[in-house]
Amino acid sequence: MAAEGGGKETNEIKTQFTTREGVYKLLTHSEYSRPNRVPFNSQGSNPVKVSFVNVNDQSGNGDRICFNVGRELYFYIYKGVRKAADLSKPVDKRIYKGTQPTCHDFNPLTATAESVSLLVGFSAGQVQLIDPIKKETSKLFNEERLIDKSRVTCVRWVPGSESLFLVAHSSGSMYLYNVENTCGTTAPHYQLLKQGDNYAVHTCKSKSARNPLLRWTVGEGALNEFAFSPDGKFLACASQDGFLRVFGFDAAELHGTMKSYFGGLLCVCWSPDGRYIVAGGEDDLVTVWSFSDCRVIARGQGHKSWVSVVAFDHCTTSVEDGELPAEFSGSDEDFHEQIHIGAGRERANSSHSRLSKRNSTESRPVSVTYRFGSVGQDTQLCLWDLTEDILFPHLPLSRTRTHTNVMSATSPAATGQTVTTVSITSATNSSGTNTKDNVSNSSATGNPANSLPDSLPRSNSLPQATNPAGGSTPNSHTGSSCSSNSSKGNSIIDSSFIANKFATLSLHDSRKERHEKDHKRNHSMGHISSKSSDKLNQLGSSRTAKAEAAKTLGTTLCPRMEEVPLLEPLVCKKIAHERLTVLIFLEDCLVTACQEGFICTWARPGKVGLLSQNNPANSPSGTVV
């Protein structure tokens, strides 16, 4: 944004920011880190990640926090805005040798004040189940690395289950485990269960129950993150090949796909009602995708580097009461036959179910605003509002007007649109994919701002096109139109099949290792070590990337920049010295973390007084700029 543009402000770390609901303030006394508070030397280490769970403690301190820094894993009582953090008393601390924790997840169903189930994934491929309250290590999965030798990128408990969990690896594979089963002493043998466009699901052949129950191979390259829908029925996967793939989880059916503008997708999240998915990655953009329409409905530009985390703020996402209250009181079946917010799940409260009623352009809904945030390697926090004029463009030209209004919110229309479009194109040039979108560049520099409406009517027909001309290319995944899920009732988790052995994944392993070293996508085979050969491989892979991008750009998989509304952030602030790796929205605050190992708490407007009233001695005056 303009305020971030020049002078001293570029390097100034912000400790507060203002939105329409008020001022968010950094609580320096609520900072969690290693006990010595020394910044962690993050060179070559895995990203700092944070997990929360509430144990329903009667004392009011029910929140627990887990975070990894380098080889260390910490577990604290999280006091948030209520009380200053006491780092001298971790509930549990573990230091690992030979491997590093990369991600973790609590099971909210089994959490009590006396016991919690915490899954921890590691850089060498293992997954550990621990209880940091009882200080027990109950099980180690993939201990001999016979299932997968590559780094664990994401681990999640299957929603609603006390025993099933899903693990993603940088090999591009996901595995479904049951905590009750062993992993066996030999490498698993697999039989193909289901196959589709660039994905396959295999069952494990075994005379007795063993892990993994299933193996998913998704896309090419690493599977960087996955997220379950709020009702637990769908799974969104963000992959290094740049594709977002959304599956029906039980039936393993591909529901829809989306392609990044360029580069890999690194993060993904669902809106609280399950109607929208936001993804971010190496194109420096946040992309909003409609679940029901299976299409990109907006992009957000504000970051100057890769977007590492996206998250919806369920507290600020709102529905204005008034016009059609009765329309929001029924079930969600009218929205989509396979989507309804799961009854009895804590995350699907009444306000979320009210949000999930309407996604039709037949009649105007009550006012809806979705708030989501993003953090990136540029050390910036961005907050975004997804509003009704973006979600429900009723008139044929309404998307054109929205596009113009959004882009001119903070700058004159002509200069704002030219600068924005050119900056995207120049970023593309720097990544070696400059042949992707010359149309965007020429329209920005050669025509005035009012030239955008000339190209936009073409995009108005995109939602109606189930499979455009470009959608039949090999990478279009059935043109991105929503799959019918005809076999949605057939769960694959309980299926048992006779197996054939599946091919090795070693090529994916070497690919990921080189990706981490070179910090860019590389499709070489991994056996050439000389620098000159590496450069040749990189050139070859960039040509491949150009060719693949040319097939999808301008289709519903990946609309051109001028074909969808371009959001500008409400807030875009530099809040750390190192790249940001965590963004979590809680009731009283939002939590961020950077690669130096500092977990910061930002009090929501009106919530900062809670701590200063309860603990005035620990309330410094330095929380504001």
Side-chain angles (χ1 to χ4, degrees):
M1 295 179 70
E4 297 293 312
K8 299 181 295 183
E9 293 206 18
T10 305
N11 295 318
E12 184 179 349
I13 304 297
K14 302 298 182 183
T15 56
Q16 73 172 25
F17 55 86
T18 304
T19 63
R20 66 170 187 274
E21 61 267 17
V23 180
Y24 289 75
K25 296 182 179 180
L26 176 65
L27 303 180
T28 54
H29 38 254
S30 295
E31 181 180 86
Y32 287 78
S33 68
R34 297 189 297 170
N36 58 14
R37 293 189 182 273
V38 175
F40 175 68
N41 182 3
S42 59
Q43 294 299 320
S45 67
N46 289 286
V48 173
K49 296 290 182 68
V50 173
S51 296
F52 283 98
V53 69
N54 190 289
V55 299
N56 299 315
D57 189 356
Q58 300 301 319
S59 67
N61 286 332
D63 289 326
R64 302 291 183 267
I65 183 174
C66 171
F67 57 90
N68 61 288
V69 181
R71 298 185 299 119
E72 302 166 10
L73 187 76
Y74 292 93
F75 180 76
Y76 282 95
I77 296 175
Y78 180 71
K79 299 173 183 177
V81 301
R82 297 181 302 275
K83 197 173 180 182
D86 184 359
L87 299 184
S88 64
K89 298 178 181 178
V91 177
D92 194 16
K93 172 187 175 182
R94 298 174 186 235
I95 301 178
Y96 295 94
K97 296 180 180 179
T99 186
Q100 293 185 3
T102 58
C103 51
H104 30 83
D105 190 44
F106 288 104
N107 192 330
L109 293 181
T110 60
T112 66
E114 293 77 33
S115 174
V116 293
S117 297
L118 176 66
L119 290 169
V120 184
F122 291 91
S123 56
Q126 304 95 334
V127 178
Q128 192 177 40
L129 175 63
I130 64 176
D131 187 333
I133 296 180
K134 293 181 177 178
K135 296 181 172 55
E136 292 179 355
T137 301
S138 56
K139 286 191 177 181
L140 185 60
F141 302 93
N142 193 29
E143 181 176 6
E144 302 298 326
R145 304 172 69 211
L146 298 172
I147 297 172
D148 201 308
K149 292 181 169 60
S150 65
R151 177 173 59 94
V152 176
T153 56
C154 187
V155 60
R156 294 277 186 272
W157 291 95
V158 174
S161 174
E162 296 185 3
S163 57
L164 298 178
F165 62 92
L166 193 62
V167 181
H169 288 258
S170 59
S171 63
S173 295
M174 286 189 301
Y175 303 89
L176 181 68
Y177 288 81
N178 187 326
V179 295
E180 305 300 331
N181 295 352
T182 63
C183 290
T185 56
T186 59
H189 291 236
Y190 297 102
Q191 167 154 342
L192 181 66
L193 174 62
K194 185 161 292 189
Q195 194 166 16
D197 289 314
N198 261 341
Y199 84 97
V201 183
H202 293 77
T203 56
C204 183
K205 174 190 175 183
S206 178
K207 293 181 179 178
S208 58
R210 66 161 286 178
N211 284 318
L213 303 178
L214 295 175
R215 182 183 73 179
W216 298 58
T217 52
V218 180
E220 298 179 10
L223 202 165
N224 290 320
E225 188 176 38
F226 64 83
F228 284 100
S229 61
D231 63 1
K233 294 187 174 183
F234 290 87
L235 184 70
C237 300
S239 296
Q240 189 60 37
D241 61 7
F243 278 93
L244 167 73
R245 297 176 178 87
V246 182
F247 298 94
F249 181 60
D250 284 350
E253 293 282 356
L254 183 64
H255 170 77
T257 58
M258 181 271 286
K259 176 71 169 61
S260 68
Y261 197 70
F262 66 83
L265 286 179
L266 304 178
C267 51
V268 63
C269 69
W270 292 78
S271 64
D273 55 10
R275 291 171 57 195
Y276 301 100
I277 296 173
V278 171
E282 296 175 359
D283 54 10
D284 303 355
L285 302 171
V286 292
T287 303
V288 185
W289 190 79
S290 168
F291 177 87
S292 61
D293 295 338
C294 292
R295 66 180 180 91
V296 175
I297 61 169
R299 289 190 179 105
Q301 182 189 9
H303 286 285
K304 301 179 178 67
S305 186
W306 295 358
V307 179
S308 50
V309 183
V310 287
F312 273 87
D313 183 355
H314 59 282
C315 295
T316 310
T317 296
S318 63
V319 175
E320 302 263 341
D321 291 326
E323 288 185 354
L324 301 169
E327 296 287 341
F328 284 78
S329 60
S331 70
D332 297 311
E333 293 176 356
D334 295 339
F335 156 51
H336 193 283
E337 63 176 358
Q338 292 180 345
I339 283 295
H340 58 272
I341 304 302
R345 298 190 63 219
E346 293 180 31
R347 293 167 61 188
N349 62 29
S350 59
S351 64
H352 297 165
S353 60
R354 290 169 60 216
L355 270 173
S356 62
K357 185 66 181 91
R358 304 286 287 179
N359 194 28
S360 168
T361 55
E362 296 173 2
S363 60
R364 188 174 183 82
V366 294
S367 179
V368 179
T369 300
Y370 294 87
R371 166 71 56 80
F372 65 94
S374 57
V375 296
Q377 298 197 6
D378 56 0
T379 71
Q380 291 192 136
L381 163 70
C382 292
L383 295 182
W384 316 80
D385 268 359
L386 190 60
T387 51
E388 186 180 324
D389 55 346
I390 301 290
L391 300 174
F392 308 104
H394 297 282
L395 301 175
L397 294 179
S398 61
R399 181 175 290 128
T400 304
R401 292 199 300 272
T402 298
H403 187 104
T404 306
N405 290 340
V406 170
M407 293 181 65
S408 355
T410 58
S411 59
T415 57
Q417 291 176 8
T418 301
V419 169
T420 302
T421 313
V422 169
S423 67
I424 284 292
T425 310
S426 63
T428 308
N429 290 341
S430 67
S431 300
T433 53
N434 55 345
T435 60
K436 274 188 181 180
D437 198 355
N438 293 331
V439 175
S440 170
N441 195 5
S442 60
S443 66
T445 56
N447 297 327
N450 58 13
S451 65
L452 276 173
D454 295 336
S455 61
L456 276 167
R458 187 160 50 91
S459 74
N460 290 335
S461 64
L462 287 178
Q464 285 77 35
T466 56
N467 195 358
S472 60
T473 58
N475 280 328
S476 63
H477 300 265
T478 66
S480 153
S481 59
C482 296
S483 303
S484 62
N485 278 356
S486 57
S487 58
K488 62 185 178 183
N490 302 326
S491 172
I492 62 174
I493 293 179
D494 299 324
S495 303
S496 58
F497 283 81
I498 312 167
N500 293 321
K501 188 167 184 178
F502 196 77
T504 177
L505 299 175
S506 60
L507 294 184
H508 294 300
D509 298 342
S510 60
R511 181 181 297 129
K512 181 57 189 175
E513 290 167 3
R514 178 161 283 105
H515 163 72
E516 291 180 346
K517 182 186 299 182
D518 297 340
H519 216 224
K520 58 177 67 176
R521 292 168 62 205
N522 191 335
H523 296 283
S524 68
M525 298 295 286
H527 60 276
I528 303 174
S529 59
S530 69
K531 291 183 178 179
S532 59
S533 298
D534 284 349
K535 288 181 179 178
L536 289 173
N537 286 331
Q538 290 171 16
L539 288 172
S541 66
S542 67
R543 291 192 191 103
T544 304
K546 289 179 189 178
E548 300 300 332
K551 295 177 184 178
T552 58
L553 188 64
T555 69
T556 51
L557 275 175
C558 181
R560 297 181 186 275
M561 289 301 294
E562 69 269 21
E563 291 176 338
V564 292
L566 190 63
L567 306 176
E568 286 197 355
L570 301 174
V571 170
C572 190
K573 301 292 185 185
K574 178 182 174 70
I575 62 169
H577 291 288
E578 279 287 337
R579 63 186 187 271
L580 293 163
T581 58
V582 171
L583 175 63
I584 299 173
F585 291 95
L586 301 177
E587 297 294 331
D588 295 332
C589 58
L590 62 91
V591 176
T592 62
C594 70
Q595 194 56 23
E596 287 184 315
F598 296 117
I599 291 88
C600 298
T601 298
W602 301 77
R604 290 184 185 270
K607 301 296 185 181
V608 68
L610 293 177
L611 191 140
S612 50
Q613 289 169 11
N614 295 340
N615 199 359
N618 288 322
S619 182
S621 58
T623 57
V624 297
V625 177

